[in-house]
Protein backbone atom coordinates (compact mmCIF):
# COMPACT_ATOMS: atom_id res chain seq x y z
CA UNK A 1 0.00 0.00 0.00
CA UNK A 2 1.27 3.44 -0.85
CA UNK A 3 1.50 5.83 2.07
CA UNK A 4 1.00 9.52 1.43
CA UNK A 5 2.46 11.97 3.91
CA UNK A 6 1.05 15.48 3.79
CA UNK A 7 3.31 18.22 5.04
CA UNK A 8 1.94 21.61 5.94
CA UNK A 9 3.99 24.29 4.20
CA UNK A 10 6.22 23.28 1.32
CA UNK A 11 9.10 22.05 3.45
CA UNK A 12 7.32 21.39 6.76
CA UNK A 13 6.88 24.69 8.51
CA UNK A 14 7.19 23.11 11.89
CA UNK A 15 8.62 25.93 13.96
CA UNK A 16 9.55 24.50 17.31
CA UNK A 17 9.48 26.98 20.13
CA UNK A 18 8.66 24.51 22.86
CA UNK A 19 9.93 21.16 23.98
CA UNK A 20 6.47 19.66 24.46
CA UNK A 21 5.69 19.13 20.80
CA UNK A 22 6.53 20.36 17.35
CA UNK A 23 4.18 23.29 17.95
CA UNK A 24 2.52 25.51 15.42
CA UNK A 25 2.01 24.17 11.92
CA UNK A 26 1.63 27.27 9.78
CA UNK A 27 -0.72 26.48 6.86
CA UNK A 28 1.01 28.17 3.95
CA UNK A 29 0.48 25.34 1.50
CA UNK A 30 0.78 21.61 1.21
CA UNK A 31 3.31 19.22 -0.18
CA UNK A 32 2.69 15.49 -0.50
CA UNK A 33 5.56 13.08 0.01
CA UNK A 34 5.11 10.11 -2.28
CA UNK A 35 8.39 9.11 -3.91
CA UNK A 36 11.87 8.51 -2.59
CA UNK A 37 12.96 11.68 -4.40
CA UNK A 38 10.48 13.62 -2.27
CA UNK A 39 12.03 12.23 0.89
CA UNK A 40 15.59 12.81 -0.30
CA UNK A 41 14.65 16.43 -0.92
CA UNK A 42 13.41 16.66 2.64
CA UNK A 43 16.86 15.65 3.90
CA UNK A 44 18.27 18.96 2.73
CA UNK A 45 15.21 21.12 3.31
CA UNK A 46 15.94 24.03 5.64
CA UNK A 47 19.61 23.26 4.97
CA UNK A 48 20.62 26.75 6.06
CA UNK A 49 20.52 28.68 9.28
CA UNK A 50 22.51 27.55 12.27
CA UNK A 51 22.40 30.99 13.97
CA UNK A 52 25.51 30.68 16.12
CA UNK A 53 27.02 34.12 15.50
CA UNK A 54 27.00 35.03 19.19
CA UNK A 55 29.31 32.07 19.81
CA UNK A 56 31.97 34.04 17.94
CA UNK A 57 31.91 36.79 20.58
CA UNK A 58 32.20 34.23 23.35
CA UNK A 59 35.28 32.59 21.84
CA UNK A 60 36.96 35.89 20.98
CA UNK A 61 36.82 35.41 17.23
CA UNK A 62 34.60 38.45 16.81
CA UNK A 63 34.34 41.88 18.38
CA UNK A 64 31.54 44.41 18.16
CA UNK A 65 32.49 47.74 16.54
CA UNK A 66 30.62 49.77 19.19
CA UNK A 67 31.96 49.41 22.71
CA UNK A 68 29.12 51.41 24.24
CA UNK A 69 26.56 48.94 22.85
CA UNK A 70 28.47 46.01 24.29
CA UNK A 71 28.88 47.67 27.67
CA UNK A 72 25.24 48.84 27.81
CA UNK A 73 23.85 45.41 26.84
CA UNK A 74 22.02 46.61 23.76
CA UNK A 75 22.15 42.98 22.59
CA UNK A 76 22.13 41.12 25.93
CA UNK A 77 23.41 37.69 24.93
CA UNK A 78 26.14 39.19 22.78
CA UNK A 79 27.36 41.30 25.70
CA UNK A 80 27.17 38.40 28.14
CA UNK A 81 29.14 36.22 25.74
CA UNK A 82 31.78 38.82 24.96
CA UNK A 83 32.26 40.04 28.54
CA UNK A 84 31.85 36.59 30.11
CA UNK A 85 29.37 38.13 32.51
CA UNK A 86 28.14 35.46 34.91
CA UNK A 87 26.08 37.97 36.91
CA UNK A 88 23.81 38.61 33.93
CA UNK A 89 24.18 35.28 32.19
CA UNK A 90 21.50 33.42 34.13
CA UNK A 91 18.92 36.18 33.96
CA UNK A 92 18.94 37.18 30.32
CA UNK A 93 17.19 35.57 27.38
CA UNK A 94 17.75 36.34 23.74
CA UNK A 95 16.03 35.37 20.52
CA UNK A 96 19.15 33.75 19.06
CA UNK A 97 18.82 30.85 21.48
CA UNK A 98 15.21 30.45 20.36
CA UNK A 99 16.25 30.58 16.72
CA UNK A 100 18.99 27.98 17.01
CA UNK A 101 16.80 25.77 19.18
CA UNK A 102 13.76 25.93 16.93
CA UNK A 103 15.63 25.56 13.65
CA UNK A 104 17.48 22.45 14.84
CA UNK A 105 14.28 20.81 16.06
CA UNK A 106 12.45 21.80 12.87
CA UNK A 107 15.07 19.97 10.85
CA UNK A 108 14.87 17.01 13.23
CA UNK A 109 11.13 16.86 12.56
CA UNK A 110 11.90 16.53 8.84
CA UNK A 111 14.45 13.80 9.43
CA UNK A 112 12.04 11.88 11.65
CA UNK A 113 9.45 11.91 8.88
CA UNK A 114 12.02 10.48 6.48
CA UNK A 115 13.17 7.77 8.90
CA UNK A 116 9.61 6.69 9.72
CA UNK A 117 8.08 6.75 6.25
CA UNK A 118 10.60 6.49 3.44
CA UNK A 119 10.35 2.69 3.29
CA UNK A 120 6.71 3.08 2.22
CA UNK A 121 7.55 5.49 -0.60
CA UNK A 122 7.63 4.71 -4.30
CA UNK A 123 11.17 4.29 -5.56
CA UNK A 124 14.28 2.10 -5.59
CA UNK A 125 15.44 0.33 -2.45
CA UNK A 126 18.84 1.98 -2.84
CA UNK A 127 17.23 5.41 -2.60
CA UNK A 128 15.32 4.39 0.51
CA UNK A 129 18.53 3.25 2.20
CA UNK A 130 20.26 6.48 1.13
CA UNK A 131 17.46 8.68 2.46
CA UNK A 132 17.37 6.77 5.73
CA UNK A 133 21.14 7.07 6.18
CA UNK A 134 21.33 10.76 5.33
CA UNK A 135 18.36 11.62 7.54
CA UNK A 136 19.94 9.82 10.50
CA UNK A 137 23.31 11.49 9.92
CA UNK A 138 21.67 14.91 9.81
CA UNK A 139 19.55 14.13 12.85
CA UNK A 140 22.71 13.20 14.74
CA UNK A 141 24.37 16.45 13.67
CA UNK A 142 21.51 18.60 14.90
CA UNK A 143 21.36 16.82 18.24
CA UNK A 144 25.12 17.29 18.54
CA UNK A 145 24.70 21.05 18.06
CA UNK A 146 21.85 21.17 20.57
CA UNK A 147 23.50 19.15 23.34
CA UNK A 148 26.70 21.17 23.06
CA UNK A 149 24.78 24.43 23.35
CA UNK A 150 22.07 23.79 25.94
CA UNK A 151 23.60 21.11 28.19
CA UNK A 152 26.76 20.68 30.22
CA UNK A 153 29.93 19.51 28.45
CA UNK A 154 30.36 15.75 28.40
CA UNK A 155 32.06 14.38 31.51
CA UNK A 156 32.17 10.59 31.71
CA UNK A 157 31.68 10.47 35.47
CA UNK A 158 28.54 12.66 35.49
CA UNK A 159 27.07 12.40 31.97
CA UNK A 160 24.51 9.79 33.04
CA UNK A 161 23.01 12.19 35.60
CA UNK A 162 23.60 15.56 33.91
CA UNK A 163 20.38 16.87 32.37
CA UNK A 164 20.63 17.03 28.61
CA UNK A 165 18.05 17.95 26.00
CA UNK A 166 14.82 16.58 24.61
CA UNK A 167 15.13 13.82 22.02
CA UNK A 168 12.34 13.39 19.50
CA UNK A 169 12.83 9.88 18.15
CA UNK A 170 9.63 10.05 16.12
CA UNK A 171 7.46 12.70 14.50
CA UNK A 172 4.62 12.65 17.01
CA UNK A 173 2.62 15.76 17.84
CA UNK A 174 0.83 13.99 20.69
CA UNK A 175 3.77 12.48 22.51
CA UNK A 176 4.95 14.28 25.64
CA UNK A 177 8.58 15.29 25.37
CA UNK A 178 11.25 13.81 27.62
CA UNK A 179 14.49 15.43 28.69
CA UNK A 180 17.28 12.88 28.37
CA UNK A 181 20.64 12.86 30.14
CA UNK A 182 23.80 14.03 28.39
CA UNK A 183 24.93 10.38 28.19
CA UNK A 184 21.67 9.27 26.59
CA UNK A 185 21.87 12.05 24.00
CA UNK A 186 25.42 11.08 23.04
CA UNK A 187 24.38 7.43 22.88
CA UNK A 188 21.52 8.29 20.54
CA UNK A 189 23.80 10.38 18.33
CA UNK A 190 26.25 7.49 18.05
CA UNK A 191 23.42 5.03 17.39
CA UNK A 192 22.25 7.16 14.46
CA UNK A 193 25.78 7.51 13.07
CA UNK A 194 26.55 3.80 13.30
CA UNK A 195 23.31 3.04 11.46
CA UNK A 196 23.93 5.71 8.82
CA UNK A 197 27.57 5.21 7.89
CA UNK A 198 27.24 1.94 5.90
CA UNK A 199 24.78 3.55 3.46
CA UNK A 200 26.20 7.07 3.11
CA UNK A 201 27.57 7.88 -0.37
CA UNK A 202 31.19 8.65 -1.20
CA UNK A 203 29.95 11.66 -3.20
CA UNK A 204 26.56 13.14 -2.28
CA UNK A 205 24.19 14.76 -4.76
CA UNK A 206 25.17 18.20 -3.47
CA UNK A 207 27.01 19.92 -0.65
CA UNK A 208 23.89 20.12 1.56
CA UNK A 209 23.61 16.34 1.86
CA UNK A 210 25.97 14.31 4.06
CA UNK A 211 28.61 12.05 2.56
CA UNK A 212 30.32 8.96 3.95
CA UNK A 213 33.24 11.15 4.97
CA UNK A 214 30.89 13.40 6.90
CA UNK A 215 29.50 10.42 8.81
CA UNK A 216 32.98 9.35 9.88
CA UNK A 217 33.97 12.96 10.61
CA UNK A 218 31.03 13.53 12.93
CA UNK A 219 31.76 10.22 14.61
CA UNK A 220 35.36 11.34 15.16
CA UNK A 221 34.09 14.60 16.60
CA UNK A 222 31.68 12.89 18.98
CA UNK A 223 34.45 10.62 20.28
CA UNK A 224 36.75 13.63 20.67
CA UNK A 225 34.16 15.48 22.74
CA UNK A 226 33.81 12.42 24.95
CA UNK A 227 37.58 12.26 25.42
CA UNK A 228 37.83 8.93 23.57
CA UNK A 229 41.00 9.80 21.70
CA UNK A 230 41.84 6.43 20.15
CA UNK A 231 38.34 6.06 18.71
CA UNK A 232 38.35 9.67 17.49
CA UNK A 233 41.69 9.10 15.78
CA UNK A 234 40.55 5.91 14.05
CA UNK A 235 37.35 7.55 12.79
CA UNK A 236 39.28 10.59 11.60
CA UNK A 237 41.70 8.46 9.63
CA UNK A 238 38.71 6.81 7.93
CA UNK A 239 37.66 10.24 6.65
CA UNK A 240 41.05 10.80 5.06
CA UNK A 241 40.51 7.72 2.87
CA UNK A 242 37.89 9.60 0.85
CA UNK A 243 38.51 9.74 -2.88
CA UNK A 244 36.16 12.69 -3.36
CA UNK A 245 36.82 15.15 -0.55
CA UNK A 246 40.04 17.12 -0.93
CA UNK A 247 41.59 20.02 0.95
CA UNK A 248 41.16 23.45 -0.60
CA UNK A 249 44.56 24.49 -1.94
CA UNK A 250 44.62 28.28 -1.73
CA UNK A 251 47.98 28.64 -3.47
CA UNK A 252 46.98 28.37 -7.17
CA UNK A 253 44.31 31.02 -6.70
CA UNK A 254 46.80 33.31 -5.00
CA UNK A 255 49.66 32.89 -7.45
CA UNK A 256 47.45 33.18 -10.53
CA UNK A 257 46.23 36.57 -9.33
CA UNK A 258 49.68 37.81 -8.31
CA UNK A 259 51.17 36.73 -11.66
CA UNK A 260 48.67 38.95 -13.45
CA UNK A 261 48.48 41.74 -10.87
CA UNK A 262 51.71 41.82 -8.81
CA UNK A 263 50.53 44.74 -6.67
CA UNK A 264 47.83 42.47 -5.19
CA UNK A 265 50.53 40.78 -3.11
CA UNK A 266 50.59 43.92 -0.98
CA UNK A 267 46.83 44.28 -0.66
CA UNK A 268 43.96 42.72 1.18
CA UNK A 269 41.05 44.88 0.05
CA UNK A 270 40.21 44.13 -3.55
CA UNK A 271 40.76 40.40 -3.13
CA UNK A 272 37.02 39.85 -3.03
CA UNK A 273 36.90 39.52 -6.80
CA UNK A 274 39.61 36.87 -6.80
CA UNK A 275 39.37 34.89 -3.54
CA UNK A 276 36.63 32.44 -4.48
CA UNK A 277 35.75 29.31 -2.54
CA UNK A 278 32.31 27.98 -3.59
CA UNK A 279 29.92 26.04 -1.39
CA UNK A 280 30.33 23.01 -3.65
CA UNK A 281 34.10 22.76 -3.08
CA UNK A 282 34.91 19.12 -2.20
CA UNK A 283 36.64 20.29 0.98
CA UNK A 284 33.15 20.72 2.44
CA UNK A 285 31.97 17.50 4.03
CA UNK A 286 28.65 19.23 4.63
CA UNK A 287 27.86 22.86 3.86
CA UNK A 288 25.48 24.72 6.17
CA UNK A 289 24.94 28.45 6.53
CA UNK A 290 25.03 30.34 9.79
CA UNK A 291 22.02 32.56 9.14
CA UNK A 292 21.57 32.71 5.38
CA UNK A 293 23.61 33.08 2.23
CA UNK A 294 24.50 36.71 2.90
CA UNK A 295 28.26 36.37 2.81
CA UNK A 296 28.81 35.53 6.47
CA UNK A 297 31.15 35.93 8.25
CA UNK A 298 31.44 39.21 6.32
CA UNK A 299 31.13 41.90 7.72
CA UNK A 300 32.12 40.55 11.16
CA UNK A 301 35.07 42.18 12.92
CA UNK A 302 37.94 40.04 14.19
CA UNK A 303 39.71 40.73 17.49
CA UNK A 304 43.38 41.68 17.39
CA UNK A 305 44.25 38.71 19.62
CA UNK A 306 42.94 36.34 16.95
CA UNK A 307 44.56 38.25 14.09
CA UNK A 308 47.92 38.05 15.85
CA UNK A 309 47.83 34.26 15.57
CA UNK A 310 48.31 34.56 11.79
CA UNK A 311 51.59 34.80 9.90
CA UNK A 312 50.45 38.01 8.22
CA UNK A 313 53.01 37.87 5.42
CA UNK A 314 52.53 34.27 4.40
CA UNK A 315 49.12 33.04 5.57
CA UNK A 316 46.79 33.18 2.57
CA UNK A 317 43.67 33.18 4.74
CA UNK A 318 44.86 36.46 6.21
CA UNK A 319 45.94 37.98 2.92
CA UNK A 320 42.76 37.13 1.02
CA UNK A 321 40.05 37.21 3.69
CA UNK A 322 41.07 39.91 6.19
CA UNK A 323 40.58 43.55 5.26
CA UNK A 324 43.64 44.83 7.06
CA UNK A 325 43.60 48.07 5.07
CA UNK A 326 40.12 48.93 6.37
CA UNK A 327 40.39 51.74 8.94
CA UNK A 328 39.65 50.82 12.54
CA UNK A 329 36.40 52.12 13.90
CA UNK A 330 37.14 54.50 16.79
CA UNK A 331 34.08 53.18 18.59
CA UNK A 332 35.45 49.62 18.65
CA UNK A 333 38.48 47.71 19.86
CA UNK A 334 41.87 48.85 18.63
CA UNK A 335 43.48 46.61 16.03
CA UNK A 336 40.29 44.83 14.98
CA UNK A 337 39.81 44.10 11.27
CA UNK A 338 36.92 42.98 9.15
CA UNK A 339 36.51 39.65 7.39
CA UNK A 340 36.85 40.90 3.85
CA UNK A 341 35.45 38.37 1.39
CA UNK A 342 31.89 37.44 0.55
CA UNK A 343 32.95 34.97 -2.17
CA UNK A 344 34.87 32.71 0.20
CA UNK A 345 32.05 30.53 1.49
CA UNK A 346 33.39 29.91 4.97
CA UNK A 347 30.90 27.16 5.87
CA UNK A 348 30.10 28.57 9.29
CA UNK A 349 27.51 25.94 10.18
CA UNK A 350 28.87 22.76 8.57
CA UNK A 351 32.04 20.66 8.57
CA UNK A 352 35.17 20.84 6.41
CA UNK A 353 37.87 18.29 5.70
CA UNK A 354 40.43 20.60 7.28
CA UNK A 355 38.73 20.10 10.64
CA UNK A 356 39.36 16.37 10.39
CA UNK A 357 43.08 16.94 9.90
CA UNK A 358 42.98 19.05 13.04
CA UNK A 359 41.11 16.33 14.95
CA UNK A 360 43.67 13.72 13.89
CA UNK A 361 46.56 16.01 14.80
CA UNK A 362 45.05 16.80 18.19
CA UNK A 363 44.52 13.13 18.98
CA UNK A 364 48.13 12.30 18.14
CA UNK A 365 49.37 15.20 20.27
CA UNK A 366 47.28 14.19 23.26
CA UNK A 367 48.35 10.57 22.79
CA UNK A 368 51.98 11.72 23.11
CA UNK A 369 52.89 11.32 19.43
CA UNK A 370 54.09 14.79 18.39
CA UNK A 371 55.68 13.52 15.17
CA UNK A 372 52.41 12.35 13.68
CA UNK A 373 50.58 15.32 15.17
CA UNK A 374 52.80 17.72 13.26
CA UNK A 375 52.72 15.55 10.14
CA UNK A 376 48.94 15.87 9.78
CA UNK A 377 48.89 19.47 10.95
CA UNK A 378 51.40 20.51 8.29
CA UNK A 379 49.63 18.45 5.64
CA UNK A 380 46.72 20.87 6.06
CA UNK A 381 48.74 24.00 6.86
CA UNK A 382 50.77 23.90 3.64
CA UNK A 383 47.60 24.54 1.61
CA UNK A 384 46.94 27.74 3.56
CA UNK A 385 50.33 29.49 3.23
CA UNK A 386 52.67 30.69 0.51
CA UNK A 387 55.12 28.26 -1.03
CA UNK A 388 58.34 28.16 0.94
CA UNK A 389 56.73 29.06 4.28
CA UNK A 390 58.45 27.06 7.04
CA UNK A 391 56.48 24.16 8.47
CA UNK A 392 55.07 24.37 11.95
CA UNK A 393 57.31 22.61 14.46
CA UNK A 394 57.03 21.24 17.98
CA UNK A 395 59.65 19.85 20.33
CA UNK A 396 57.22 17.71 22.32
CA UNK A 397 53.57 16.71 22.65
CA UNK A 398 52.63 19.78 24.68
CA UNK A 399 54.04 22.10 22.04
CA UNK A 400 52.33 20.07 19.33
CA UNK A 401 48.99 20.47 21.07
CA UNK A 402 49.58 24.22 21.35
CA UNK A 403 50.28 24.40 17.62
CA UNK A 404 47.13 22.41 16.85
CA UNK A 405 45.01 24.66 19.01
CA UNK A 406 46.40 27.82 17.41
CA UNK A 407 45.64 26.38 14.00
CA UNK A 408 42.10 25.51 15.12
CA UNK A 409 41.66 29.18 16.04
CA UNK A 410 42.85 30.25 12.60
CA UNK A 411 41.19 27.65 10.43
CA UNK A 412 37.91 27.33 12.32
CA UNK A 413 37.26 30.92 13.37
CA UNK A 414 33.71 32.05 12.67
CA UNK A 415 32.30 28.58 13.21
CA UNK A 416 30.72 27.13 16.34
CA UNK A 417 33.97 25.29 17.10
CA UNK A 418 35.56 28.12 19.09
CA UNK A 419 32.82 28.03 21.71
CA UNK A 420 32.56 24.24 21.69
CA UNK A 421 36.34 23.92 22.03
CA UNK A 422 36.31 26.11 25.13
CA UNK A 423 33.59 23.93 26.64
CA UNK A 424 35.45 20.69 26.11
CA UNK A 425 38.89 22.01 27.09
CA UNK A 426 37.39 23.39 30.29
CA UNK A 427 36.46 19.86 31.35
CA UNK A 428 39.03 17.68 29.58
CA UNK A 429 42.05 19.86 30.45
CA UNK A 430 40.56 21.76 33.42
CA UNK A 431 41.41 24.95 31.58
CA UNK A 432 40.81 28.52 32.71
CA UNK A 433 40.53 31.14 29.96
CA UNK A 434 41.50 34.79 30.22
CA UNK A 435 40.81 37.83 28.08
CA UNK A 436 41.89 41.47 28.21
CA UNK A 437 39.38 44.15 27.28
CA UNK A 438 39.91 47.91 27.25
CA UNK A 439 36.51 49.48 27.81
CA UNK A 440 35.11 52.72 26.43
CA UNK A 441 36.50 54.65 29.43
CA UNK A 442 40.01 53.37 28.66
CA UNK A 443 40.14 51.00 31.62
CA UNK A 444 41.81 47.61 31.15
CA UNK A 445 39.63 44.74 32.32
CA UNK A 446 40.99 41.25 32.88
CA UNK A 447 38.21 38.77 32.18
CA UNK A 448 38.39 35.18 33.45
CA UNK A 449 36.32 32.12 32.65
CA UNK A 450 36.88 29.16 34.95
CA UNK A 451 35.91 25.49 34.51
CA UNK A 452 32.34 24.92 35.57
CA UNK A 453 31.19 28.41 34.62
CA UNK A 454 27.42 28.52 34.00
CA UNK A 455 28.16 30.48 30.83
CA UNK A 456 29.26 27.26 29.13
CA UNK A 457 25.59 26.23 29.07
CA UNK A 458 23.24 28.51 27.16
CA UNK A 459 19.70 28.87 28.48
CA UNK A 460 16.77 27.07 26.93
CA UNK A 461 14.45 29.60 25.25
CA UNK A 462 11.83 31.07 27.53
CA UNK A 463 9.00 29.75 25.38
CA UNK A 464 10.39 26.22 25.65
CA UNK A 465 10.53 26.49 29.42
CA UNK A 466 6.95 27.71 29.63
CA UNK A 467 5.45 24.96 27.47
CA UNK A 468 7.31 21.90 28.73
CA UNK A 469 8.68 20.24 31.84
CA UNK A 470 12.28 21.07 30.96
CA UNK A 471 14.77 21.63 33.74
CA UNK A 472 16.88 24.69 32.92
CA UNK A 473 20.47 23.47 32.54
CA UNK A 474 22.10 26.78 33.41
CA UNK A 475 21.04 26.40 37.04
Amino acid sequence: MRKYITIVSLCLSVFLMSCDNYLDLVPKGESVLNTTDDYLGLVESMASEYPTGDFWYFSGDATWPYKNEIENYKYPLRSIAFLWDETEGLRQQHTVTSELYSKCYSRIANYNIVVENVNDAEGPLADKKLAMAQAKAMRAYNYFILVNTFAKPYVKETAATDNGIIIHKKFDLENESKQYSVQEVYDFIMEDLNAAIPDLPEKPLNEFRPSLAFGWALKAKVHLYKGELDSALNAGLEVLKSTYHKLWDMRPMYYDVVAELPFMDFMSTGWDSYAIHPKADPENLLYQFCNNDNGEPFPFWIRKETLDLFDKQNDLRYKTCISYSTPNRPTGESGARMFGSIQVKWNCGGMRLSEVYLIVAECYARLNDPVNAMKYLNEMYKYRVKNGTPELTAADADEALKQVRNERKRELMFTYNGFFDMRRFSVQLNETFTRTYINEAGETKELTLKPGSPLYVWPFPQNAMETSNLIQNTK
Side-chain angles (χ1 to χ4, degrees), residues 254-421:
Y254 177 79
Y255 286 112
D256 285 349
V257 172
V258 171
E260 182 178 353
L261 304 169
F263 64 89
M264 290 296 293
D265 193 29
F266 304 99
M267 298 178 62
S268 174
T269 53
W271 272 100
D272 188 47
S273 301
Y274 305 102
I276 299 173
H277 184 227
K279 296 187 290 290
D281 191 288
E283 179 173 272
N284 290 322
L285 306 178
L286 175 76
Y287 190 92
Q288 303 283 268
F289 303 111
C290 181
N291 284 323
N292 48 59
D293 191 14
N294 64 353
E296 282 191 319
F298 179 85
F300 275 84
W301 289 74
I302 310 168
R303 294 198 85 216
K304 181 178 183 299
E305 286 78 359
T306 298
L307 294 173
D308 287 346
L309 293 173
F310 287 88
D311 176 347
K312 297 174 183 177
Q313 297 300 317
N314 295 310
D315 196 307
L316 300 182
R317 292 164 295 194
Y318 189 92
K319 292 189 72 67
T320 61
C321 296
I322 310 300
S323 291
Y324 58 82
S325 63
T326 302
N328 289 332
R329 294 194 181 186
T331 54
E333 287 193 275
S334 176
R337 304 295 178 189
M338 188 172 64
F339 191 93
S341 177
I342 61 174
Q343 295 201 84
V344 174
K345 302 305 180 183
W346 201 250
N347 197 2
C348 299
M351 287 190 72
R352 307 195 299 256
L353 183 61
S354 58
E355 183 183 345
V356 179
Y357 277 87
L358 293 167
I359 290 174
V360 169
E362 179 182 332
C363 289
Y364 274 125
R366 293 176 64 183
L367 292 169
N368 200 31
D369 186 349
V371 173
N372 271 315
M374 300 310 296
K375 170 188 171 183
Y376 284 94
L377 185 62
N378 280 305
E379 183 62 32
M380 191 219 76
Y381 182 71
K382 70 183 181 183
Y383 290 114
R384 303 295 188 251
V385 293
K386 291 181 182 179
N387 293 334
T389 303
E391 289 189 340
L392 301 172
T393 60
D396 54 30
D398 288 340
E399 181 63 25
L401 181 58
K402 180 180 178 181
Q403 293 277 27
V404 171
R405 292 184 61 178
N406 284 342
E407 184 58 24
R408 286 186 70 86
K409 289 285 290 183
R410 293 186 287 260
E411 178 69 15
L412 301 178
M413 68 173 181
F414 293 136
T415 69
Y416 58 81
N417 288 281
F419 174 52
F420 285 10
D421 278 353

Side-chain angles (χ1 to χ4, degrees), residues 38-209:
D38 296 333
Y39 283 97
L40 283 165
L42 198 59
V43 169
E44 69 179 70
S45 65
M46 295 183 289
S48 63
E49 302 192 25
Y50 287 81
T52 55
D54 283 320
F55 289 174
W56 307 344
Y57 296 98
F58 191 102
S59 63
D61 291 349
T63 185
W64 191 243
Y66 307 100
K67 286 184 179 182
N68 65 313
E69 294 184 356
I70 285 288
E71 294 167 23
N72 292 319
Y73 288 75
K74 181 175 182 179
Y75 308 101
L77 187 59
R78 187 167 301 163
S79 295
I80 292 165
F82 185 79
L83 298 172
W84 294 343
D85 186 352
E86 294 182 358
T87 62
E88 291 290 330
L90 303 185
R91 297 196 291 269
Q92 294 282 1
Q93 299 289 341
H94 194 270
T95 55
V96 70
T97 62
S98 297
E99 291 168 358
L100 177 63
Y101 191 88
S102 63
K103 289 179 187 299
C104 284
Y105 276 109
S106 293
R107 285 184 289 266
I108 288 167
N110 277 8
Y111 309 140
N112 283 342
I113 287 176
V114 175
V115 170
E116 293 174 52
N117 299 288
V118 70
N119 283 331
D120 295 317
E122 296 177 351
L125 177 60
D127 283 354
K128 295 178 182 181
K129 294 172 69 174
L130 175 63
M132 182 79 73
Q134 291 187 322
K136 287 187 174 182
M138 291 303 300
R139 185 169 68 179
Y141 188 61
N142 280 264
Y143 278 128
F144 180 81
I145 298 292
L146 287 165
V147 77
N148 279 285
T149 302
F150 299 105
K152 291 181 179 180
Y154 184 94
V155 176
K156 182 178 180 180
E157 291 75 17
T158 63
T161 54
D162 288 337
N163 287 322
I165 59 173
I166 283 176
I167 297 177
H168 289 294
K169 297 183 178 182
K170 295 182 178 181
F171 182 76
D172 188 348
L173 298 179
E174 304 297 328
N175 187 42
E176 183 177 352
S177 302
K178 175 187 173 183
Q179 186 173 9
Y180 288 75
S181 71
V182 170
Q183 183 66 59
E184 289 173 316
V185 177
Y186 270 84
D187 288 346
F188 186 72
I189 290 170
M190 193 60 73
E191 179 184 324
D192 262 357
L193 287 174
N194 287 336
I197 284 174
D199 294 316
L200 289 173
E202 173 67 22
K203 181 179 179 180
L205 179 66
N206 60 47
E207 63 273 16
F208 298 111
R209 300 188 187 186

Side-chain angles (χ1 to χ4, degrees), residues 224-242:
L224 181 67
Y225 279 51
K226 294 175 68 178
E228 298 167 350
L229 300 179
D230 288 313
S231 297
L233 175 60
N234 291 335
L237 292 174
E238 285 292 329
V239 179
L240 304 188
K241 296 177 182 178
S242 174

